[in-house]
Each structure stands twice: as structure tokens, then as C-alpha cells.
Amino acid sequence: MKLNLPFLAWLGVAWFGFLVLPWYAAYDGFWSFVWITDGYPTFDEYSPGFLQILMHQRWWLWPLVLVLLLPLSVIRLEKTDRRFANILIFSGAFGFVYTLLQGFAISLHGWNWEFLRNGFGELGQTQFGMGYGALLVCGGFLFIFTQGLAARGITNGDVFVSGSIGLSIVLVVTFVFFPVSKILINAVQDADSNFVLIPFIEKFTSPNIWGLGCFTNNLNCGVAWNSLIMAILVGATTTGLGLAFALIVTRTGMRAKRLIRTASLLPIITPPFVIGLAIILLFGRSGAVNTFLEWAFNIEPTRWIYGLTGIWFAQTMAFTPIAFLVLIGVVEGISPSMEEAAQTLHASPWQTFWTVSLPLMRPGLANAFLLGFIESLADFGNPLVLGGSYEVLSTQIFFAIAGAQGDQSMAAVLAIVLLIFTLSAFYAQRRWLGKKSYATVTGKGDSGVHIRLPKRVKFGVYSTALPFVALSLIIYGMILFGGFVETWGYKHNFTLKHYIDEFALSWSSEHGIMWEGAAWNSFWTTLQISAISAPLTAAFGLLVAYILVRQKFRGKDGFEFLTMLSFAIPGTVIGIGYILAFNVPPIEITGTGVILVVCFIFRNMPTGIRAGVASMSQLDPSLDEASLTLGARSFTTFRRILLPLLRPAVIAALVFSFVRAMTAISAVIFLVSADYDMATSYILGRVENSDYGLAIAYSSVLIMVMLAAIGTIQILVGKRELGRREAIEF
């Protein structure tokens, strides 16, 4: 008889968590190990689950013992025995659900649900948030359940695929759907938490949301139409610019490709509101450009930069790198043999590009537009700085929560409107792509040469991308300049004062290096949190992309939409949702570094998913099938066949998740604590105090760090090798 090692491993994990590790979380953080020296294992707070039953009268944990014993009965059964699958499915599902239910049912104040209090009476013991032990028991039960499904024949009996689907669904429901639902449920509740429908309908149909004044009498539209118009404009322009950069880097012989590539990524590594400040100092009423125009041509300065124009300008600069990161892998993935076949049939370069190359870019174009559209809807910083009287959903949600009105139900209504737009864009994208195949990377040799760009396309990409590069360099020159002057825009005498105040160092023979600067604490915390969250975000995003593209299961479309929820909802809503969801048992992580890591993973994961989906759509499924036919497992196929071909998507996911963790503000502002302060919240405090020089100096340091990180990521991941030569210029 052959032992089922994966099943035994996960059963062992569950028993280890129940018998050895503390069932409840440590008071000073999830990653704290104070429990080892603080009376473990008999000390009440840190006892493992089994001792919680025997010594601390937490009788409601007894059923877990029985459920953990049940799988032992199948150790000697063959995997093909129907009892093996049935017992694993039952024990895994019951154990997982019961562990969560008891955590939600009993908290710091006893029973959470009145019917349980009436049925069982008052409790002599309460419980805290789940710790290491409960986490491992939940994980063990989950994978026992998925292995039972695999034994039943679901996912063709593939344990890795069934486990990946189960893990992905549980994580997305826990850290995306659950906190979002905590916010959205307020839309149909009054101040006393009673469910009401009429006030919800009145708020949802308010003219402030759906007013059509801009279409009739030149007045402002409602915030819904303002946001929709802005999102469509930004989605279109960022996709066009991203495609232009991708074509320049991959299809031209331009010698300054590395400079172009670096300049195109600059806006994504900038802390929020810094670009807005630079744009105001350039194009504002008293900005450098308007001042020059007034002096040279007597053109009176105006406030044209505030409103729709300014937001569109700033968002286009900020989100074009996202489109570029998604599209570059798609453009590289197009097979030259298809273009060569078109030219063999006497198609002109323009006909080949328009009828062959561009249609094969559809997955990338659709995903780039979707990301730009959603980013525009969820953006908070740029509309706050440059919006003027042009109101959008994200800022109105923030003011509804944090403003004088304090109306969380109104914020929830606005969030629902935003979700409707996101779902509509998602549906339109799926309809546009249809069920056609865009696979161009197969297992066959493919060493052709890409065709040269048609003259009109080359002129178009140069005329759009190069001005963008020039403007980016000007703006970043101003940002660097602002860190070395006393008062940006007023006193321009050279000084290092801002850098010294923020990043001063000294040496002590007793203590060594002394980090005396005021910014060091937030800097190291930000670097640590970003370095932890980035690889986890990329790995999880690509795993979900693999599931969505390569696997079929019920509810896949709904699951795909759930993965986009955290990206579509503004960070302000996500931050408050996390506080409401994870400030009490069973998942009690508010105020710790874990909540920041989790927030970044699930906030930024959609970019890794969309980049992975776009790139994987070009990989022919025959690659997977050939590997599986030769006896490789799904995990081996994913690791050794698909991942090397997904290097552009890996780079996109790693770069985006790292820099977003370094520069996020809207969600972080609600989740930081005294022990875990982030760089962006520190910079925002300097901006609020009008210490622009300090804010710019800190931002400049962050930009240098992120540039170094991007270069390191590209070196470590490497370049995808497809056996092709670069496009030839004629």
C-alpha cells in the first residue's frame, strides 16, 4: 500500500497546530514570539488548543478533536476507495467551517449571537483572535478538503490545482469580500444598524450622483458621470501611451531604449500628490510655465489645470506605466512567423500591423484599458489635489467617511455606484475579447524577425511617447530640485537641511550607528513591509491568473470579479473595511504589520492577475498538455514551463506591487500605527504642515530606492527567451 504523503503532511500540520502552537494570537502582534518565554504552554493566553479545553474550560473546541481523529481512519485506504474521498471531504469541510464559526460566535465579550446566549447561557470564558495554532488547523482542514475533492476526480484528480483553487477562493473571500461587505452593508442600515430600504433608494438616485447638468446647461454633472467620463478618457490615453512605449522598446532600433523604459516607469514610483504638486508648480496660476508665458507673451494666467483637465493630465502620467508593464509582455509575445506569413502573401507593413499584429494584442489592450479605467475610478490623491470643483466618486467617498457629515451609509452607496461601473467595464472587456484564441507562443521553434513598424505607426508612437518622456523628466527634475532648496517656489538658495533633518546619521562607540533622522523609522518600516508583500503579491496574482486561464470550475467568473473588488474600491473604503473586519476576533490584526502586508497583497494583486492573464492567453495550452503527458505534475509544469515564459508578467507584478506598497496612501492612512508608520503617511503629515521641502526630500529618496529595486528585480527575474531576434530597422 502506498501512503498518501500530501494528505499525511496536512493532517500532521493540523495536529501540530492543535497540540503545540498557541491557539490565540499574542497581545503584541502576530509575529511576536513572546509566548515562548511567557509561561508557555500552560499560560492561559498562549496555550495550544488541546490545553485550552482541558485546563481553561473552552469546551466549544471539543468537536475539533473528533474531526481531527476522523481522517486517521483512511490512512490505510487506497486513494481510489470512495470512502477515502468522502471522509476527507466531510472532515475537512466540517472542521474548517466549525473552526471559523466558533471564532465568529465567541469574542472578548462572550456570545456574539443572541440565540446562542439564550440556548447555552452565559459563558465562563471568552476568546481572543486566532493565533498560530488556529491558523494551521484551518489550513490543514482546507487542504484535507481539497485533497478529498481531487480524490473524487474534480480537477482531474490534480491535488495542486484543487488546493490552489481552494486556497485562492478562501483568501479572496476573507481579505477582499469580507471587509468590502462590512462597508457595503452600511448602505442599507440606519444609525441603529436596522436594515432600511427607502433611505438607500433616495441616496442612490440622488441628483448629486446622477445629475445631467453638464449635458444640458453646462453645469457640473453628478459625481457618477464625472467619474465615468474621467475613467474612459484615462483608460484610453494610458492604453495608447502604454502601447506606444511597448512598441518603441520592442519594435524599433532606438538606441535610447533603456532611457525610454526608465522614464516611462518614473511616474509609478512617485508618492501620491507629489506629481500633483509638481504639476501645480509648473502649470498652476503662479506656476513656472504660466509665469513665463505672462512675461514673454503677456498671456494672463488661468486656473485651467484644476478640474477635469488637471485630473486627466495627472492620472494619465500616473497610470501609463501600468499599461506599459502589461502591454510589453504581450507585444513581445506575438509570433514573428504570423507577421512573416502575412508579408509572404504580399501584405504591406501597415496591413500586417493592422490585421495581424494589433488583433493579437487584444488581451493586453483590454487588460490595460481595464486597469487604467479602474485606477482612475479608485484614484484619490490626484482628484484631491487638482479636482477643484470637479467632484468624483473617490473623493466624495472620503468626505462622506472622514468629513463633517460622517455618513458611512452614503459612502457605501457611492462605493456601490463605483462597483457598478467596474463590473460593467469588466463585462465589456470579456465581451470584446470573446472566446477567441490569442495563443502565439507554442512549443515549436520560432526564431523569426518581427516586421518593422509602418511609417505612420512609428511617427505616431514617437510623437506621443517622446513628449511624455520629456515632460516626465522635467517634472522629476523639479522634484529633485525641490529637495535642495530652502522653500520650493519661493527661496531657491541651495541647502541640504531637508535631507539632514530626515536622514541624519551619527556614530557612537557604545551603540554603533545612530539613526537620528526623523524619517528613519517610517523608512525602514516601509521598506520591510514592501519587501515582504511584493513577492507574495506577485506569486498569488500569477497563481490566480493560472487558475483563471488554465482551469475550469463552477463560479469562475464570479471568482474573477471578486479578485477585482479590492482594486475597484477606493483605498479609503478598503482601509475602513479592514478596520471593521479585523479589529475584533476571530481575525484580530489591526495595528500590526500583518494588516499592512495583507492589505497590500490583496489591493495590488489584480495587476499581477491581469498581467498574468494577458501573457498566459498567448501561451498555447499544448505546452501544459505536453508536460503533463510526459508525467510532470501540474506544479512542476507551472514552475518549469509556464513561469519562464511569464517573466514579463512576473516583472510587472513585482514592480507594481513593490512600488505601490512604497507609495500607497489612501488605505494606509487608516491602518498605520505608532509601531508601523509608513513613509507616505509621514510625507502627508509634512505636506499638511506646509513642509514641502521635507516632503520632496523624502520623496526623492524613495524614488532612488524604488529605481534601484526595479533594476534589481529585472536582473533577478531576467528576460524571457523566445529564440527571436530584435526587429530590424530599414
Side-chain angles (χ1 to χ4, degrees), residues 437-443 550 615-626 641-642 645:
S437 173
Y438 299 93
T440 62
V441 180
T442 66
R550 289 294 199 256
S615 294
M616 210 173 296
S617 297
Q618 295 183 310
L619 304 182
D620 198 299
S622 62
L623 292 170
D624 310 36
E625 295 166 2
I641 304 298
L642 295 180
L645 296 172

Side-chain angles (χ1 to χ4, degrees), residues 500-507 513-520:
I500 294 173
D501 290 343
E502 301 294 321
F503 299 102
L505 291 171
S506 65
W507 174 265
I513 297 178
M514 303 289 290
W515 310 91
E516 294 182 346
W520 281 119

Side-chain angles (χ1 to χ4, degrees), residues 697-717:
Y698 199 165
S699 299
S700 302
V701 172
L702 290 183
I703 290 170
M704 295 299 107
V705 170
M706 286 183 279
L707 281 175
I710 290 172
T712 303
I713 289 171
Q714 291 179 335
I715 292 172
L716 292 177
V717 175

Side-chain angles (χ1 to χ4, degrees), residues 479-681:
I479 291 173
L480 292 175
F481 171 74
F484 291 100
V485 297
E486 185 173 343
T487 306
W488 198 22
Y490 180 62
K491 289 184 179 180
H492 292 160
N493 50 303
F494 178 82
T495 180
L496 294 175
K497 179 179 181 298
H498 305 311
Y499 290 95
I500 294 173
D501 290 343
E502 301 294 321
F503 299 102
L505 291 171
S506 65
W507 174 265
S508 169
S509 58
E510 183 178 353
H511 302 287
I513 297 178
M514 303 289 290
W515 310 91
E516 294 182 346
W520 281 119
N521 179 48
S522 62
F523 176 80
W524 291 122
T525 300
T526 302
L527 202 59
Q528 179 185 16
I529 297 295
S530 302
I532 293 173
S533 63
L536 295 176
T537 306
F540 187 63
L542 292 174
L543 179 64
V544 172
Y546 169 73
I547 292 171
L548 293 175
V549 176
R550 289 294 199 256
Q551 307 302 326
K552 295 180 180 179
F553 56 94
R554 290 182 180 179
K556 187 170 79 169
D557 290 342
F559 172 67
E560 187 172 2
F561 174 68
L562 276 181
T563 62
M564 301 299 293
L565 267 181
S566 64
F567 203 61
I569 295 288
T572 49
V573 179
I574 290 291
I576 293 177
Y578 268 52
I579 291 174
L580 294 176
F582 305 129
N583 195 39
V584 293
I587 307 174
E588 197 174 0
I589 55 176
T590 301
T592 68
V594 174
I595 197 170
L596 293 170
V597 172
V598 169
C599 179
F600 288 143
I601 289 174
F602 293 94
R603 181 88 171 126
N604 300 327
M605 129 189 116
T607 298
I609 294 174
R610 301 328 302 177
V613 167
S615 294
M616 210 173 296
S617 297
Q618 295 183 310
L619 304 182
D620 198 299
S622 62
L623 292 170
D624 310 36
E625 295 166 2
S627 176
L628 295 172
T629 302
L630 292 172
R633 298 175 181 269
S634 292
F635 177 72
T636 304
T637 300
F638 179 72
R639 179 174 60 88
R640 301 190 64 181
I641 304 298
L642 295 180
L643 272 184
L645 296 172
L646 291 174
R647 280 176 174 163
V650 173
I651 291 175
L654 283 173
V655 168
F656 182 84
S657 56
F658 181 82
V659 301
R660 272 308 176 90
M662 293 282 287
T663 61
I665 182 61
S666 54
V668 167
I669 200 67
F670 295 100
L671 302 179
V672 293
S673 61
D675 294 329
Y676 294 95
D677 189 19
M678 297 291 286
T680 47
S681 64

